[in-house]
Amino acid sequence: MPHTGKANKASSSSKEDRISALPDDVLHHVLGFLQAAEAVHTSVLAQRWRYLWKSMRCLRVNSIGRCDEGDDASLSNFMNCLLLLRDPGSTLDEVEIEYDNLEDNAKWISIWIRHALSCQAQVLTVKPDYEMCLSLDGPPLVSRHLRRLEFSDVNLKNNFLDFSSCTALEDLKIKCCVLKTSRILSLSLKHLSMKGCTFRHDGRIRISVPKLVSLQLISFGGRAPLLESMLSLETAVVSARNYREDFCREGVAGECCGTCADCCGNDDHNGRCILLGGLSCATNLELIAYLGMLIFRRDLRWCPTFSKLKTMFLNEWCVQINLRALVCMLEHSPVLENLILQLRKQEETALALEVEGNNSLMHKPAAISGCLKIIKVKFDEIDDRVCKVLKFLSILGTEIIIQRTTACWRYSVWTDFYD
């Protein structure tokens, strides 16, 4: 009998549902790792699980969790039920919508986003298939709880990027999107990353984010945005891709001519900086442009003082035609400590002739910082231009480190961020 009692006790113990005995918060956390459709399917496991999905705090909806592979309309039905049948008293931590085919459900996406925000979602991600033409439009989003927002491969129109009513938003990521708006506005944003995006061609988008700490504008097309004051900015990376906007059409061999209306800043924002003014408070700054792109050189006509700048990375745009752009950046960076130059190989240009005949650039300008400690020059091959640049840098009385690189390295600065 004692042996039989132990056997019954062991059998009873083996049938005990210990997972279901866990607190709701723990089970909701577990459900948050599942795709939404899989989480809903747990309702058939036991009575304890029947309604847990209605109050789970993380919703992940993507192609992996499709409830019906053969019917795209099932997504809208599923999402509508998923959101509308939730426990009215429950809140959301995170919502992720990442689907291969949202085109048939495009009209619902904005509704789902706004409903998620009404459930106090703190993190929101929308990533449709890159071949779609999904557009997000309508009045500005409103939330006192949204902290992080991410969009990928969508068209963002009109007031959709006005986040003045999202008072807790601190992190915004926009990747491979087309921006058809006049302004990006947030009074709380601290981190902004925009990669592979296309700005408007018929005017400049204003970016008004006064509390921003870090900025990435990587491989953007269209007209460069107008950056307004960012007094808290610490780190900024700006690289413009080779595109027809903000580009000199008169220069030879892909260089700025320095005299046309585009190069001289005679456009709709004549008389003020487009990019450099908003970047002037940065501590670490990377400015990257292709040959012929004039946006940085244009801004130098009204070059601000980079009063906090400690580390600066520039590529060959700063030594086009002559060294004046490089000198100007150095003269306006009074506390600069580290300078990194990346110079790719190119055909012989007018640079060698102008430097050769300009003796004033062979003496150290008095305004250049005495704080400069290290200069690093990276190049593909030593050519006449590299020699001229090194000759000028040698007069600054600062340690110079030279490094030969491969062609693949040239793009690593921004492709690392782009992934």
Side-chain angles (χ1 to χ4, degrees):
M1 288 295 293
H3 178 75
T4 302
K6 289 181 178 180
N8 291 337
K9 185 176 181 180
S11 176
S12 176
S13 176
S14 65
K15 295 179 180 180
E16 183 180 354
D17 185 357
R18 296 184 178 181
I19 294 180
S20 296
L22 294 172
D24 283 359
D25 287 345
V26 176
L27 295 181
H28 288 150
H29 183 71
V30 173
L31 289 177
F33 291 100
L34 301 177
Q35 304 306 322
E38 296 172 338
V40 172
H41 289 162
T42 63
S43 62
V44 303
L45 294 177
Q47 183 69 24
R48 173 77 168 87
W49 293 79
R50 187 172 182 181
Y51 300 111
L52 280 174
W53 65 271
K54 290 190 174 184
S55 53
M56 59 183 180
R57 301 180 65 85
C58 182
L59 303 183
R60 302 186 188 279
V61 182
N62 59 37
S63 299
I64 298 175
R66 291 183 66 168
C67 51
D68 187 347
E69 295 270 345
D71 184 7
D72 290 328
S74 64
L75 174 62
S76 59
N77 295 330
F78 174 71
M79 280 296 295
N80 290 336
C81 291
L82 183 67
L83 294 173
L84 295 177
L85 296 179
R86 283 182 56 81
D87 182 349
S90 63
T91 59
L92 283 170
D93 288 337
E94 183 175 356
V95 176
E96 177 184 293
I97 304 175
E98 185 173 355
Y99 222 74
D100 287 343
N101 188 3
L102 286 172
E103 192 165 5
D104 293 336
N105 301 283
K107 63 181 180 180
W108 290 103
I109 301 298
S110 182
I111 296 175
W112 296 339
I113 289 173
R114 296 175 192 279
H115 187 89
L117 296 183
S118 71
C119 294
Q120 302 181 14
Q122 299 180 41
V123 179
L124 177 61
T125 302
V126 179
K127 295 181 179 181
D129 182 77
Y130 71 92
E131 294 181 350
M132 290 181 52
C133 297
L134 179 65
S135 296
L136 294 177
D137 199 349
L141 300 178
V142 178
S143 174
R144 293 185 293 108
H145 305 277
L146 184 64
R147 295 183 295 103
R148 187 166 75 246
L149 180 60
E150 182 173 354
F151 292 114
S152 179
D153 299 294
V154 297
N155 296 332
L156 301 170
K157 298 182 176 181
N158 299 323
N159 294 322
F160 203 84
L161 292 177
D162 180 352
F163 301 110
S164 56
S165 297
C166 295
T167 55
L169 183 63
E170 294 187 350
D171 192 345
L172 175 61
K173 295 181 179 180
I174 304 176
K175 182 178 180 181
C176 299
C177 292
V178 178
L179 308 182
K180 299 179 180 180
T181 182
S182 60
R183 194 171 192 178
I184 300 174
L185 174 62
S186 174
L187 301 179
S188 59
L189 199 65
K190 293 184 178 180
H191 308 284
L192 174 60
S193 174
M194 306 181 72
K195 304 176 183 179
C197 293
T198 301
F199 293 98
R200 292 173 52 181
H201 302 285
D202 57 350
R204 298 193 189 276
I205 295 177
R206 290 176 177 268
I207 298 182
S208 303
V209 282
K211 295 184 179 179
L212 204 69
V213 175
S214 66
L215 172 67
Q216 292 182 352
L217 290 179
I218 308 296
S219 190
F220 64 84
R223 304 197 75 183
L226 175 62
L227 300 181
E228 297 188 355
S229 178
M230 296 177 282
L231 298 180
S232 301
L233 188 64
E234 295 178 1
T235 301
V237 181
V238 179
S239 72
R241 68 171 178 250
N242 191 357
Y243 210 67
R244 66 176 180 268
E245 306 292 344
D246 295 318
F247 197 89
C248 180
R249 298 163 181 79
E250 306 295 334
V252 178
E255 293 188 341
C256 295
C257 68
T259 58
C260 69
D262 290 326
C263 289
C264 294
N266 298 325
D267 61 7
D268 57 344
H269 286 91
N270 184 26
R272 63 182 302 184
C273 284
I274 301 299
L275 293 172
L276 296 185
L279 301 173
S280 61
C281 291
T283 303
N284 304 287
L285 182 61
E286 295 186 15
L287 301 177
I288 302 165
Y290 288 84
L291 288 176
M293 299 202 73
L294 54 89
I295 190 63
F296 295 136
R297 295 181 66 91
R298 173 203 181 283
D299 272 5
L300 292 180
R301 297 189 67 191
W302 308 275
C303 188
T305 298
F306 298 89
S307 58
K308 303 177 183 178
L309 189 60
K310 298 288 187 179
T311 300
M312 179 166 60
F313 182 105
L314 306 172
N315 71 334
E316 53 271 3
W317 71 265
C318 70
V319 293
Q320 284 178 253
I321 306 177
N322 52 52
L323 298 179
R324 290 192 178 90
L326 174 60
V327 173
C328 182
M329 290 297 296
L330 291 174
E331 289 180 332
H332 289 80
S333 305
V335 296
L336 185 67
E337 297 179 356
N338 303 292
L339 172 65
I340 303 171
L341 294 179
Q342 175 185 295
L343 306 176
R344 66 178 182 179
K345 182 182 178 181
Q346 66 172 18
E347 297 179 0
E348 184 176 356
T349 66
L351 172 66
L353 298 175
E354 183 154 343
V355 173
E356 188 73 32
N358 193 341
N359 293 327
S360 64
L361 291 180
M362 292 297 101
H363 300 281
K364 180 180 179 179
I368 291 183
S369 169
C371 300
L372 196 59
K373 297 178 180 178
I374 297 177
I375 300 174
K376 182 178 290 188
V377 181
K378 300 182 179 184
F379 52 86
D380 297 335
E381 293 183 9
I382 295 182
D383 54 19
D384 185 62
R385 182 186 63 174
V386 172
C387 291
K388 297 296 182 182
V389 171
L390 291 175
K391 182 178 180 181
F392 166 71
L393 295 176
S394 66
I395 69 175
L396 302 182
T398 301
E399 178 184 359
I400 301 176
I401 300 174
I402 61 175
Q403 178 182 349
R404 186 170 181 174
T405 60
T406 64
C408 294
W409 183 91
R410 297 178 198 160
Y411 303 99
S412 65
V413 174
W414 54 91
T415 54
D416 286 347
F417 291 107
Y418 198 81
D419 293 337

